[in-house]
Amino acid sequence: MLPQMSFSDVCRSNSGVKLKASAEPPALTREPKSDKQESIMEMGNGCDLFNEMKNNFLSFKKHKYMENLELFQALSKGQAPKFMVIACADSRVCPSNILGFKPGEAFMVRNVANMVPTYESGPSETNAALEFAVNSLEVENILIIGHSCCGGIRALMSMQDEVDSSSFIRSWVIVGKNAKLSTKAAASNLSFDQQCTHCEKESINCSLLNLLTYPWIEEKVKKGELSLHGGYYDFVDCTFEKWTLDYKGSVMEGKNRVVVKNQSFWC
């Protein structure tokens, strides 16, 4: 019977575990591992991941934190970001890496499919972050970033029924139902993949309109104190599209259709 081992014990002996495993005769290595052996090896792999994370942190401390100590000391006293960024939780989409935001420059919230629910939808972590960013931090820009191959949008486009209370994902992505309806109306002749791409961008615009349902956001936009922007990152081709909501034009359209300005394409 194997002795009980703690996670730290496995970390300290991880290299030994690998060495013993590789030294076993071929016939033995083909035999199914016991649950205990599987557990030890999984914990060992976890240690490798955290060792890499540790090295990354120490490198950050040495080359970024210590070399910009004055900046980080100032940030320890408070933050005054110019941007709030709403992005997808997708691991392939990191706004700081893509757009070069430095610490203190952007207040961020990430959720499935980078969606913004309406004011009337009630509390969520996204509108809590909006309230803090707009009313307390007084950001000057809100940027919603969508992206290619979005699983949340694909789930939305695949839904047969509007509500499935047994699925947290379905209950969340239904926030984008207007984008789905617009896509079905405008792109019904396209393939499903092409419809998903269309909806990825349409969903950003629907979320921009949803931002205007928050009274304290619309008031600041109307006064010119806050600008609302959309962005779309295509990580297949590594391109980025950016546009800004034209508030006056959108209001004249009855807030059912986004009118944009200052469009640009970065490639």
Side-chain angles (χ1 to χ4, degrees), residues 9-264:
D9 291 334
V10 175
C11 286
R12 285 193 293 271
S13 61
N14 188 35
S15 58
V17 171
K18 287 184 177 179
L19 187 61
K20 290 179 182 177
S22 63
E24 289 177 352
L28 293 178
T29 58
R30 286 196 295 270
E31 290 180 359
K33 295 184 179 68
S34 68
D35 291 344
K36 187 68 177 180
Q37 288 173 318
E38 288 284 3
S39 177
I40 290 173
M41 294 307 294
E42 286 176 7
M43 292 171 71
N45 291 337
C47 289
D48 290 341
L49 291 175
F50 279 98
N51 282 334
E52 182 179 357
M53 196 178 295
K54 171 188 172 183
N55 291 333
N56 290 340
F57 170 74
L58 294 177
S59 177
F60 160 79
K61 182 175 181 179
K62 179 179 179 181
H63 298 292
K64 294 186 178 180
Y65 183 91
M66 297 307 296
E67 291 178 6
N68 297 278
L69 192 57
E70 187 176 341
L71 166 65
F72 285 99
Q73 286 178 336
L75 289 175
S76 71
K77 298 179 176 66
Q79 58 176 322
K82 300 293 185 185
F83 277 87
M84 177 181 182
V85 174
I86 301 171
C88 186
D90 194 300
S91 64
R92 300 165 292 184
V93 184
C94 181
S96 293
N97 274 355
I98 299 164
L99 301 176
F101 287 115
K102 297 179 176 62
E105 291 184 345
F107 185 79
M108 296 192 191
V109 63
R110 298 177 69 174
N111 63 43
V112 173
N114 45 270
M115 291 182 177
V116 177
T118 62
Y119 179 78
E120 294 78 15
S121 298
S124 73
E125 78 287 347
T126 299
N127 48 35
L130 277 168
E131 181 178 354
F132 182 69
V134 174
N135 293 339
S136 297
L137 297 179
E138 299 182 336
V139 296
E140 298 173 6
N141 302 275
I142 297 176
L143 172 62
I144 301 174
I145 303 175
H147 67 93
S148 57
C149 308
C150 181
I153 294 297
R154 199 170 189 88
L156 171 67
M157 292 296 294
S158 301
M159 287 171 56
Q160 300 300 319
D161 302 315
E162 285 201 356
V163 178
D164 179 0
S165 58
S166 67
S167 169
F168 291 127
I169 294 174
R170 288 175 179 267
S171 296
W172 169 252
V173 298
I174 198 64
V175 167
K177 64 181 178 181
N178 288 337
K180 176 181 178 179
L181 293 173
S182 297
T183 297
K184 291 293 186 183
S188 59
N189 60 318
L190 300 180
S191 69
F192 180 73
D193 287 344
Q194 290 172 320
Q195 288 182 33
C196 286
T197 298
H198 186 282
C199 191
E200 286 162 358
K201 298 179 182 181
E202 188 66 25
S203 176
I204 299 167
N205 287 334
C206 286
S207 285
L208 289 173
L209 288 179
N210 286 349
L211 285 173
L212 294 177
T213 66
Y214 295 79
W216 26 272
I217 288 181
E218 182 171 25
E219 181 182 1
K220 289 201 170 192
V221 172
K222 188 185 297 185
K223 291 179 178 178
E225 298 172 358
L226 178 64
S227 296
L228 310 180
H229 313 275
Y232 181 80
Y233 171 49
D234 184 339
F235 56 68
V236 177
D237 298 323
C238 197
T239 59
F240 195 91
E241 298 175 54
K242 174 266 172 191
W243 59 94
T244 299
L245 175 76
D246 183 336
Y247 173 71
K248 291 182 179 178
S250 297
V251 168
M252 291 176 64
E253 291 286 340
K255 297 185 185 176
N256 294 318
R257 180 171 173 270
V258 167
V259 176
V260 302
K261 60 183 180 180
N262 301 333
Q263 292 178 271
S264 57

